[in-house]
């Protein structure tokens, strides 16, 4: 298959802090696994991050860090175009156009908004409008598939609705329908308390943790006091070992929670150590990483311009 005939894969993660193992298994691993098959574009959603991170040093450091993380987990910069969202500001123009064809009650149904509201958070307009910017991210690049964790499924549906609505309102076929790519077994990776792992629940195991951090976090995995299988330990362990191996191990150590947690910590450490070492290597040359981001944005600019020309024309701008 030639480069141009490959389908487009697009995804991004916000630069809101250190990624954790659920980000890896739920999303990043799919980017790596699919990088040969697709024309892959993976970005750092720094404009989305601005809805929560409002500190100059923190945001720019997080952004560089995430670019390094992407490389460290095995994205090959020769195969994947890694870029920074804000380097292509056309996406905000497209989000604006989408805003104008989307109703407030429709966006009020977004889980992200409802969760924030349920927690009585002060909701900025950016957070409310988050799904429109995400739709623009996806649609501006003509994406075919979008690998994400299950928590993003509704956002993908919104992107599809928006593509459909735009095409209908402006009587065109500019936007194609993107498909979510969600791997069932890791659709919702649990955290150390058994709830969905998330930075915001503070129940996560950072992907580039030190050995000490891993041990401490694993020891704090919530277990019930009864004998039998410690479900929360087992469910995290499943990410690192096959079930046959685990069933034997958990049977042999029935009721011995400490031994099982030690075994899990050892497996996580064995998985993380080489990633961490690679990350340390890449982090020695931040200029090279910044340069990569800049060059990739330049490369994508032409495609994005072409798409926006069509959009402006269709809308009458
Ligand atoms: P967080 O909830 O920790 O802030 P993000 O929203 O930054 O995570 O998610 C980045 C990517 O990782 C998204 O594709 C998201 O669906 C995926 N992801 C996050 N948490 C999980 C989880 N617990 N299980 C599976 N995938 C997840
Ligand atoms: N909302 C996604 C998250 O929190 C990040 C994101 C922004 C994204 N734009 C996107 C993911 C476009 C996939 C495609 O993880």
């Amino acid at each position: 298959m030639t480069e141009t005939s490959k389908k487009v894969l697009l995804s991004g993660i916000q630069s809101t802090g250190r990624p954790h193992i659920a980000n890896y298994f739920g999303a990043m691993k799919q980017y790596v696994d699919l990088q040969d098959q697709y024309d892959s574009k993976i970005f750092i959603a720094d404009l989305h991050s601005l809805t929560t991170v409002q500190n100059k040093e923190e945001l720019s450091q997080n952004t560089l860090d995430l670019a390094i993380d992407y490389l460290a987990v095995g994205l090959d910069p020769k195969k994947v175009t890694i870029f920074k969202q804000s380097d292509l500001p056309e996406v905000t123009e497209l989000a604006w156009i989408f805003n104008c064809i989307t109703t407030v009650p429709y966006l009020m149904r977004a889980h992200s908004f409802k969760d924030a509201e349920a927690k009585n958070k002060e909701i900025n307009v950016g957070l409310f409008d988050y799904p429109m910017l995400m739709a623009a991210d996806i649609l501006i690049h003509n994406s075919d598939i979008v690998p994400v964790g299950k928590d993003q499924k509704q956002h993908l549906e919104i992107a599809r609705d928006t593509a459909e609505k735009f095409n209908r309102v402006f009587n065109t076929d500019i936007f194609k329908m993107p498909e979510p790519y969600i791997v069932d077994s890791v659709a919702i990776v649990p955290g150390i308390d058994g709830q969905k792992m998330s930075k915001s629940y503070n129940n996560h195991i950072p992907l580039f943790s030190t050995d000490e951090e891993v041990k401490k976090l694993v020891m704090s995995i919530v277990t019930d006091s009864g004998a039998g299988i410690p479900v929360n330990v087992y469910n995290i362990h499943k990410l690192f070992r096959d079930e046959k191996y685990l069933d034997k191990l958990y049977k042999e150590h029935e009721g011995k929670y400490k031994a099982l947690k030690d075994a899990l910590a050892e497996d996580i450490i064995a998985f993380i150590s080489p990633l961490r070492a690679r990350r340390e290597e890449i982090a020695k040359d931040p200029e090279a990483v910044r340069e990569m981001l800049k060059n990739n944005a330049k490369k994508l600019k032409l495609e994005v311009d072409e798409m926006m020309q069509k959009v402006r024309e269709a809308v009458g701008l």
Side-chain angles (χ1 to χ4, degrees), residues 180-240:
Y181 182 91
I182 299 170
V183 176
D184 275 347
S185 57
V186 287
I188 306 174
V189 173
I192 59 174
D193 56 358
Q195 308 294 310
K196 176 199 157 211
M197 186 179 290
S198 173
K199 269 168 275 184
S200 42
Y201 302 158
N202 209 14
N203 61 355
H204 59 292
I205 302 177
L207 181 56
F208 299 99
S209 307
T210 62
D211 296 357
E212 286 319 305
E213 271 179 293
V214 172
K215 286 180 197 157
K216 203 167 153 231
L217 287 166
V218 169
M219 288 312 144
S220 60
I221 294 177
V222 178
T223 48
D224 54 31
S225 50
I229 287 189
V231 182
N232 293 340
V233 182
Y234 185 94
N235 283 339
I236 296 177
H237 218 156
K238 263 197 327 209
L239 300 167
F240 301 91

Side-chain angles (χ1 to χ4, degrees), residues 10-14 43 45 48 130 134 137-138 146 148 152 155:
L10 176 122
S11 196
I13 296 181
Q14 297 186 70
F43 69 98
H48 276 114
Y130 187 110
M134 181 158 165
D137 289 327
I138 295 169
V146 184
V148 283
Q152 296 298 315
H155 286 153

Side-chain angles (χ1 to χ4, degrees), residues 37-55:
Q37 253 166 285
Y38 288 90
D39 172 10
S40 296
K41 301 173 206 265
I42 301 294
F43 69 98
I44 301 145
D46 59 343
L47 289 169
H48 276 114
S49 305
L50 200 53
T51 60
T52 50
V53 180
Q54 295 170 354
N55 173 291

Side-chain angles (χ1 to χ4, degrees), residues 24 27-36 70 73-75:
Y24 176 77
M28 293 164 123
K29 183 172 185 294
Q30 279 63 263
Y31 312 164
V32 178
D33 291 347
L34 299 171
Q35 64 183 333
D36 288 320
Y70 280 151
V73 297
L75 287 185

Side-chain angles (χ1 to χ4, degrees), residues 128-146:
F128 180 66
D129 200 32
Y130 187 110
M132 289 293 102
L133 183 58
M134 181 158 165
D137 289 327
I138 295 169
L139 300 174
I140 206 169
H141 292 286
N142 243 326
S143 312
D144 292 291
I145 71 156
V146 184

Side-chain angles (χ1 to χ4, degrees), residues 167-186:
N167 287 349
R168 183 160 41 81
V169 170
F170 296 107
N171 195 20
T172 156
D173 58 0
I174 291 179
F175 293 119
K176 68 177 164 200
M177 286 290 157
E179 295 291 336
Y181 182 91
I182 299 170
V183 176
D184 275 347
S185 57
V186 287

